[in-house]
Amino acid sequence: MGPLTVRGLTKRYGDVAALTDLSLEVRAGELFGFVGRNGAGKTTTMRIVLGVLAADAGEVTFAGTALTFEARRRIGYMPEERGLYPKMRVAEQLRYLGELHGMTGADARASATRWLERFGLQERRDDELQSLSLGNQQRIQLAAALVFAPELLVLDEPFAGLDPLAVDVMSAVLREQADAGIPVIFSSHELELVERVCDRVGIIDRGKMVASGTVDELRAGARERRRVDVPGAADDWDAGVPGATLLESDGSSRVFELDPGVDDQSLLQAALATGPVRAFERVEPSLGELFRTVIGEAGA
Amino acid sequence: MTARSWSLGGARRLPATLLVARREIRMRLRSRVFVGGTSVMAVLVVVGIVAASLLAGRTTPVRVGFSGGSQALERSFTATAAALGVEVTVSDIADVTAGTAQVTAGTLDVLVTGSATAPTAVAKESMPSNVESALSLAAEAARLSDAGLSPTAIASAMALVPVQLLAPPNPKDNENLFASLALGILLWIALGQYGNMVAQGVVEEKATRIMEVLLATIQPSRLLAGKVIGTGLVGLLQLTIVGTAALVAVHVTNVAAIPALGVASILADISWFLLGFLFYATAYAAVASLVSRQEEVQGAVAPISIFQIAGYLLMYAALPNPSGPLATVCSLLPPFAPILMAVRMADSDVPFWQVGLAVALIVASIVGLTWLAGRMYRNAALHLGTRVRFMDAFRG
């Protein structure tokens, strides 16, 4: 199934440009992480994909055809603002949502039961949602997005507010869905988690997609880093090295970022000149560091 | 489980509107508010009717006892009293003293003694004049019979004067006034109550944030229609329960005549309730979508409530003259028609074209309102927090 393709989305709220020519693609069986600061346009993008918001320009296609209302009913959606009926019974609620998404009553009931068993909430099936703990309510919210066996998953901040156990359940379920061939896109502020879970990442800033690809691809576009450990070195031993910027220092250990085209051997020579070098290694920037770099450049 | 036993469509896919309506009905029927509210309403209505019947008092027949020779008058007295429009019961009294004691005690209203041709009547405080006339006429007939006249001659001699009325009152007028007023009040309460229920349901979906999940899978107009239909059917059920309790109470206490309660008039009332409900509930839903919290609902629906209150007041103004210009014009206007036209139809004969015009106007308004409400719903439903201005919701 898939891919989900978003091309050239533009959306304005009055004088504010929420999205400018935003494009992205989520392939079948892929977990796509959507990261950006608050107000960058993640929720707006997802709402447009779901059809609850209309774009000023651009198109959204799934498996090559424009998303119709009927096709959108096959999308599993978890909005940023969570919401279910507090006074409705858990199993009844899942069944209702399954039927609204086009399942028969019998299928919806069976699927609701499966998901409740999966989350260990079978014995709470006839309880009102509001009587469940917050963590369990979040599990039900996920089940609500999955109960009708969606062909595409769009989840806005699915990890927000989850306890560590729920985070594990959530990431396992998302992986499972992607492995079953479903394109999954979710937004998150938890960059470490995104790095760990996602196949590909898109970074959005002020309504524009500023970088996208696998984390390795993003790294390939970033500057090289070296960690150098020279115990007993002079404080300013690195002052004269051209093209090397000190990022952080921890005791005698320092991390440098090299300008494009700079040879790391000049940094090593400078280090050797000040004392015995205990470590000289390549450092991979985390997604968080990449994110800050990309956003910093975009903002400059 | 109850939820399973009356569920629809196990192996079928139901249209989204129907699913929404079904959920609405289930949740409402299950709620304590509905069960308790319906019971309280039914009890209040029955208590009110019983109290009214006790206060009004029943028209009991006048009890007349005959003793001795006057007992020969019993048959002709009963017939004459009936002709004069008095309801009487007659009994034989063996002993005059005992009969007098009964009159004193109040268990007998009138005691007749003496002979058939010269009877004497004994009463406690006053003698009902019609009873006195009937007794006099019966005694006179007895004297004529004694004088040798044949029964036919007596009948023609004593025939009552025929009366011709040039402008007889409409028999529906007074008899139906009570019922029409009750119907109007009931409709008014029902429209307000169920309209508010829809408004609160809309805000509940906004406040609990489930709206966005719903709107991703169902068009706003269908969500709205399902909500309105579900709540309307629940309202109809509640009205039927309370209405049945009221009818039974009226029938048992005999406090008022149940006027022309043919199938046609019941259907007309139900139709006006449904049309009025669709009109007001759609309007309520539209304005409710502008706010995000239950506390703001009352303020938001206030402009619509004004029309309802106006309709209620117009009902009192129009009832005394249901065919006058005020009643006629107002009963055609969609906001007032559900109450005024229903009341007019119960109270008098309304020309067919007026009913048809009123129905056409309100149906057209409902279609227009649904379009408007769907548009406002789409634009305002995802806007949480501050209240959305009407024109912003309209323009989108």
Side-chain angles (χ1 to χ4, degrees), chain B residues 9 96 202 241:
Chain B
V96 176
V202 169
I241 293 171

Side-chain angles (χ1 to χ4, degrees), chain A residues 47 77 83 85 92 99 102 106, chain B residues 10 13 22 30 205 208 212:
Chain A
R47 283 182 165 176
Y77 179 42
Y85 291 107
E92 191 181 17
E99 285 187 88
Chain B
R13 284 181 181 81
R22 187 184 67 182
R30 204 182 285 158
E205 279 170 4
T208 61
E212 194 168 349

Side-chain angles (χ1 to χ4, degrees), chain B residues 12-372:
Chain B
R12 280 179 298 149
R13 284 181 181 81
L14 295 178
T17 305
L18 221 61
L19 286 168
V20 174
R22 187 184 67 182
R23 193 200 85 86
E24 206 65 36
I25 292 171
R26 274 188 190 168
M27 295 303 289
R28 299 254 179 236
L29 292 190
R30 204 182 285 158
S31 78
R32 288 192 200 95
V33 176
F34 177 81
V35 178
T38 310
S39 315
V40 167
M41 270 169 75
V43 167
L44 282 182
V45 164
V46 169
V47 165
I49 289 168
V50 170
S53 82
L54 292 179
L55 286 176
R58 262 175 259 184
T59 52
T60 47
V62 181
R63 294 156 299 182
V64 185
F66 290 84
S67 73
S70 70
Q71 284 174 2
L73 290 174
E74 283 176 8
R75 270 182 79 177
S76 63
F77 168 74
T78 309
T80 316
L84 291 174
V86 205
E87 222 183 312
V88 294
T89 57
V90 295
S91 57
D92 294 340
I93 302 293
D95 176 39
V96 176
T97 319
T100 311
Q102 282 188 46
V103 172
T104 312
T107 53
L108 190 67
D109 297 312
V110 179
L111 171 68
V112 183
T113 58
S115 67
T117 49
T120 313
V122 180
K124 194 178 175 186
E125 288 170 344
S126 67
M127 178 77 175
S129 63
N130 280 346
V131 174
E132 191 180 339
S133 307
L135 190 60
S136 304
L137 286 169
E140 195 176 337
R143 288 192 291 273
L144 290 173
S145 176
D146 260 17
L149 259 70
S150 69
T152 325
I154 296 171
S156 79
M158 301 196 56
L160 294 172
V161 177
V163 178
Q164 186 196 1
L165 294 177
L166 289 176
N170 186 338
K172 282 175 110 184
D173 266 359
N174 290 325
E175 196 175 310
N176 284 1
L177 195 65
F178 175 82
S180 311
L181 202 62
L183 171 71
I185 294 172
L186 196 63
L187 274 173
W188 183 68
I189 293 173
L191 289 181
Q193 179 171 353
Y194 304 124
N196 266 303
M197 238 188 223
V198 171
Q200 272 157 11
V202 169
V203 175
E204 181 201 8
E205 279 170 4
K206 266 190 92 172
T208 61
R209 315 283 205 265
I210 195 174
M211 192 70 102
E212 194 168 349
V213 174
L214 296 178
L215 287 186
T217 183
I218 176 172
Q219 283 105 332
S221 55
R222 291 193 186 176
L223 179 59
L224 185 86
K227 219 165 203 3
V228 168
I229 291 168
T231 311
L233 290 178
V234 170
L236 194 58
L237 175 70
Q238 193 170 44
L239 276 187
T240 307
I241 293 171
V242 174
T244 307
L247 282 184
V248 169
V250 166
H251 185 74
V252 170
T253 59
N254 202 21
V255 67
I258 297 175
L261 265 174
V263 176
S265 95
I266 290 180
L267 284 181
D269 293 342
I270 290 177
S271 306
W272 276 118
F273 166 72
L274 287 179
L275 285 172
F277 174 77
L278 287 177
F279 181 87
Y280 277 107
T282 309
Y284 271 119
V287 293
S289 72
L290 300 177
V291 300
S292 307
R293 288 194 301 273
Q294 295 289 0
E295 306 91 88
E296 297 171 314
V297 175
Q298 288 313 317
V301 301
I304 299 167
S305 306
I306 287 172
F307 282 101
Q308 269 185 298
I309 292 167
Y312 180 70
L313 296 177
L314 278 171
M315 177 175 80
Y316 288 102
L319 256 183
N321 187 8
S323 302
L326 176 74
T328 305
V329 170
C330 289
S331 70
L332 295 177
L333 303 176
F336 312 128
I339 294 176
L340 287 185
M341 191 54 91
V343 166
R344 281 185 67 203
M345 284 167 73
D347 197 42
S348 63
D349 295 313
V350 180
F352 181 76
W353 69 266
Q354 290 184 8
V355 179
L357 182 59
V359 170
L361 285 176
I362 195 168
V363 167
S365 311
I366 290 167
V367 172
L369 269 178
T370 306
W371 173 83
L372 178 71

